[in-house]
Amino acid sequence: MVDPEDFGLGLLARTFEFALCLIIISLLFGQASSDVLFDFDKATLTTAGKKALDAMIEQAKTDKPLSIDIYGYTDQIGTDAYNIALSARRAEAVAKYLQDSGAFSGTKFTTTGMGEKNPIVAESACPMSDVTAKAACLAQNRRVEFKVTKEVK
């Protein structure tokens, strides 16, 4: 078996491994879109969102990360300035929930509001004029992404 450490890639391999765990958590708990984490136009975690993050908290109890960068995103409804602020509040809400769990003592957190950058669903795919229908169509763009760095063991 090849050891990534032999090539100086230990930290990269561990970061990838944890990112893969988060993808699996996302698939299991529906965390891929933040309509599970947040209601439309809100930065308060939903019960389902907390449940998805609780799985990450359990993982951290045995395998604590050095740092977690949290990136919040919005859909394309609203102004750029509003969406940047909303996405930042979402990232901060996730960081606070994780920090308040106590499972991440010593872990460095950074949060960034990305607004409507890097959409999964193009706005042109949701031509409806009704805001509720458009919001439902663009739900996949409302998400929070993580970059987790872990110590090589």
Side-chain angles (χ1 to χ4, degrees):
M1 179 172 194
V2 175
D3 184 356
E5 199 58 38
D6 294 341
F7 300 96
L9 298 175
L11 182 60
L12 177 64
R14 299 287 293 159
T15 301
F16 176 76
E17 176 186 316
F18 198 78
L20 188 57
C21 288
L22 290 177
I23 290 168
I24 292 168
I25 289 169
S26 295
L27 293 173
L28 291 175
F29 294 100
Q31 190 179 333
S33 78
S34 70
D35 60 338
V36 171
L37 294 173
F38 306 98
D39 291 326
F40 174 71
D41 197 30
K42 303 282 185 221
T44 306
L45 286 163
T46 63
T47 301
K50 290 176 183 178
K51 184 177 180 178
L53 293 174
D54 287 344
M56 187 175 174
I57 290 166
E58 285 303 310
Q59 171 74 22
K61 288 179 181 176
T62 58
D63 200 12
K64 191 173 308 228
L66 294 173
S67 66
I68 301 176
D69 300 328
I70 304 170
Y71 303 92
Y73 292 87
T74 64
D75 58 30
Q76 299 91 318
I77 299 171
T79 66
D80 288 343
Y82 182 82
N83 284 338
I84 288 288
L86 176 59
S87 62
R89 289 194 313 272
R90 288 178 173 173
E92 290 163 7
V94 170
K96 182 176 180 351
Y97 186 80
L98 295 175
Q99 290 169 324
D100 288 351
S101 74
F104 294 91
S105 61
T107 298
K108 178 185 172 201
F109 283 83
T110 59
T111 60
T112 305
M114 302 297 290
E116 56 192 64
K117 290 182 181 175
N118 307 320
I120 295 170
V121 177
E123 190 171 12
S124 61
C126 306
M128 56 283 294
S129 59
D130 178 65
V131 174
T132 303
K134 188 173 196 119
C137 182
L138 295 170
Q140 290 181 333
N141 294 340
R142 298 187 304 271
R143 65 194 188 278
V144 174
E145 296 179 351
F146 304 88
K147 177 185 169 195
V148 178
T149 305
K150 304 194 73 166
E151 184 178 0
V152 179
K153 294 181 181 180

